Amino acid sequence: MQDLKGKVAIVTGGSRGIGRHIALQLAQRGADVAINYRSRQSDADETLKEIEATGVRAIAIKADLSKMPEARNVIKKVHEQWGRIDILVNNAGITKDKSMKKLTDDDWNEVLDTNLGSVYATCSEVLNIMLEQKFGRIINITSFVGQAGNFGQANYAASKGGIIAFTKTMALEVAKHNITVNAIAPGFTETEMLAQVPENIREKIVARVPMGRFGQPEEIARAVVFLAAEGDYITGQQINVNGGLYM
């Protein structure tokens, strides 16, 4: 396996959940890692300590990625500090789940701006850096919901489906420059968000999964690290890590 020593990675939403595991596994492979967080500095501080314990450099940048200037500024700050960006993992995302009858304009805009708008902003900002380097690995975290839909998640499904389409289009445009762009589509994953779901609902959800269990954040992270370190001839793809939930 290739290591990532000397590479610089950014993980948005990297202070907890799936993002934290992605950041840690990238660090364990030798990459210097910058994480972004929105509000919970204590989580970011704890994740930074874990990253630094692997022997690499680490920084945390506070930003509200629903605002494009702040999303772009994350890229700028890392480049100013470390001089290069090799890996961008767009992991940050939120939900505002309501049926269409109850969904508001604000619910729609906040989810689309955070989940999809931030991907556009960070990718467009990092593009010239990666073009100059003649190297880049971009991995966008989408969801099976963007493929299959899910009751009460029209805004989330639209944002995640948009990420898949965006990924394929950007991949076509930059492939000849040794920049790959791929998406990871997790299924239901054991995170803080899922832990808040009542047990009876969790049982119904897991019954839909052919493998009979929820995914683990580290399983999603391993797929990301594979694309970053080993996926030199893989681009424009979505890799489903969902236990067979959507095929």
Side-chain angles (χ1 to χ4, degrees):
M1 292 192 301
Q2 298 180 39
D3 68 36
L4 297 172
K5 188 174 181 180
K7 304 296 187 187
V8 169
I10 299 175
V11 182
T12 67
S15 64
R16 57 196 178 102
I18 292 172
R20 172 179 164 273
H21 284 270
I22 293 170
L24 288 172
Q25 289 197 28
L26 289 169
Q28 288 162 3
R29 292 288 289 269
D32 297 318
V33 181
I35 61 171
N36 148 259
Y37 69 102
R38 183 173 183 174
S39 59
R40 292 166 58 166
Q41 186 173 341
S42 59
D43 289 340
D45 290 343
E46 184 60 35
T47 301
L48 274 185
K49 289 178 184 177
E50 293 181 82
I51 294 171
E52 289 169 343
T54 68
V56 304
R57 298 179 295 178
I59 54 174
I61 301 169
K62 183 177 181 180
D64 179 354
L65 299 187
S66 69
K67 298 177 174 62
M68 284 194 186
E70 292 194 36
R72 292 180 183 279
N73 199 42
V74 171
I75 304 297
K76 291 175 183 176
K77 283 185 175 180
V78 175
H79 191 241
E80 286 169 3
Q81 184 149 341
W82 288 342
R84 62 182 300 115
I85 299 170
D86 302 283
I87 301 160
L88 170 62
V89 183
N90 281 304
N91 165 77
I94 63 169
T95 58
K96 294 277 183 179
D97 295 350
K98 292 178 184 175
S99 66
M100 277 295 295
K101 186 176 180 179
K102 298 178 180 178
L103 195 68
T104 68
D105 291 352
D106 287 343
D107 295 328
W108 175 268
N109 289 330
E110 188 173 355
V111 170
L112 267 290
D113 289 347
T114 301
N115 297 5
L116 181 57
S118 68
V119 172
Y120 160 73
T122 57
C123 285
S124 60
E125 190 65 37
V126 85
L127 180 56
N128 285 334
I129 296 168
M130 290 183 171
L131 287 172
E132 187 174 340
Q133 295 170 171
K134 297 182 173 59
F135 180 89
R137 300 290 178 260
I138 298 172
I139 300 110
N140 300 320
I141 306 301
T142 179
S143 168
F144 89 94
V145 175
Q147 301 166 299
N150 202 37
F151 186 91
Q153 290 194 304
N155 50 0
Y156 186 74
S159 71
K160 293 301 187 178
I163 287 173
I164 294 169
F166 175 89
T167 295
K168 292 176 181 293
T169 299
M170 187 175 183
L172 282 171
E173 294 182 3
V174 302
K176 65 183 179 182
H177 301 288
N178 194 28
I179 301 169
T180 65
V181 191
N182 291 288
I184 301 290
F188 292 108
T189 306
E190 201 69 82
T191 61
E192 183 180 306
M193 187 183 299
L194 188 62
Q196 296 172 1
V197 175
E199 185 58 34
N200 63 318
I201 303 298
R202 284 169 58 93
E203 290 174 0
K204 291 179 181 178
I205 292 172
V206 81
R208 296 168 55 191
V209 182
M211 291 188 72
R213 66 174 179 86
F214 296 122
Q216 298 301 311
E218 55 265 34
E219 293 174 313
I220 312 303
R222 284 199 292 269
V224 171
V225 173
F226 168 75
L227 288 173
E230 318 290 342
D232 294 345
Y233 199 56
I234 301 171
T235 197
Q237 304 303 307
Q238 59 187 49
I239 296 180
N240 298 335
V241 187
N242 63 24
L245 179 63
Y246 181 85
M247 301 185 188

